[in-house]
Amino acid sequence: LLVRGGYFPRFSPDGKTVVYSSGFHSLFDSALFSIPITGGQPTRIAADVPWAIKPGFSPDGTRVFFLGAPRVNAPVAED
């Protein structure tokens, strides 16, 4: 992946899109991006997710998933 700070690239099932993680200063300040395989501007699809790594696609390519962690000191929903 020829994007500064980009890692864990994954191709969509149809081969037309790549999603990747990007840590601007560290993995604690990471985001997920998608970009057409033909090039162009990347689209941010998730931001401010600590440790947003290893993105992937659902088998039909309609959803993106990734591993992440909750933000430190973030409010926690209680039942």
Side-chain angles (χ1 to χ4, degrees):
L1 183 62
L2 299 176
V3 175
R4 184 176 180 193
Y7 44 88
F8 299 114
R10 299 291 184 264
F11 287 89
S12 62
D14 64 8
K16 294 181 180 179
T17 305
V18 174
V19 294
Y20 63 92
S21 300
S22 179
F24 298 108
H25 302 290
S26 71
L27 282 174
F28 290 109
D29 182 25
S30 59
L32 294 178
F33 291 88
S34 69
I35 190 167
I37 195 68
T38 56
Q41 289 294 321
T43 301
R44 186 182 298 207
I45 56 175
D48 300 326
V49 180
W51 298 92
I53 60 172
K54 298 190 177 182
F57 285 90
S58 60
D60 65 2
T62 60
R63 295 179 186 249
V64 173
F65 56 86
F66 63 93
L67 297 176
R71 182 156 296 285
V72 175
N73 297 325
V76 176
E78 296 184 23
D79 292 342

